[in-house]
Amino acid sequence: MKLLIVDDSNIIRSRIARIALHPSLRQLSIVGLAKNGIEAVELCQRNMPDVVTMDLTMPEMDGIACIEILIARNPGLNILVVSALSDKVTAIAALKKGARGFLHKPFSDEQLANALLEVSQ
């Protein structure tokens, strides 16, 4: 399965990429890293990922708007929101737009690995 990582923080993108290399996630291969929603839409169109990790607060295009576009183009896309926003309203809004999971920052390596396994099944 192809994984696209979307987050405006280079540190978080790198951390998710490192965790995705864990043997329990060997079914995932990283096809792109995007720092905002616009890059994510472009990379999705080019690389057709199966799973996307999505930050919500990003410049140029936020995660909620990006999720709406990506799901409209590919309703089967598995999106895991990884966000520091922890209010229920935000989580529900992301899930209503088509996200399949929500993980709050900060997260442990194990929490992210488990969340990726859940959304990729």
Side-chain angles (χ1 to χ4, degrees):
M1 301 184 91
K2 296 186 280 187
L3 171 66
L4 173 66
I5 299 168
V6 184
D7 200 298
D8 62 337
S9 166
N10 184 43
I11 293 170
I12 297 296
R13 288 193 309 271
S14 297
R15 181 163 181 230
I16 293 172
R18 180 184 53 77
I19 294 168
L21 296 175
H22 189 274
S24 68
L25 298 170
R26 64 179 169 265
Q27 75 275 19
L28 295 176
S29 62
I30 299 168
V31 296
L33 304 169
K35 65 179 181 259
N36 61 51
I38 292 172
E39 283 186 9
V41 170
E42 292 170 0
L43 288 172
C44 272
Q45 189 168 355
R46 190 177 330 143
N47 298 321
M48 303 299 289
D50 303 293
V51 179
V52 175
T53 65
M54 179 70 67
D55 189 13
L56 292 181
T57 306
M58 298 181 289
E60 299 184 41
M61 179 190 293
D62 68 25
I64 296 289
C66 186
I67 290 168
E68 189 169 13
I69 292 169
L70 296 181
I71 291 297
R73 293 180 178 181
N74 180 3
L77 185 60
N78 299 305
I79 299 176
L80 172 65
V81 173
V82 181
S83 176
L85 298 176
S86 60
D87 63 283
K88 287 183 181 179
V89 173
T90 301
I92 290 170
L95 295 171
K96 281 185 176 179
K97 295 292 183 186
R100 305 258 162 97
F102 196 101
L103 181 64
H104 299 281
K105 296 177 187 172
F107 53 84
S108 69
D109 292 4
E110 183 178 354
Q111 287 172 321
L112 178 63
N114 288 336
L116 283 170
L117 283 171
E118 284 183 27
V119 298
S120 63
Q121 293 177 356

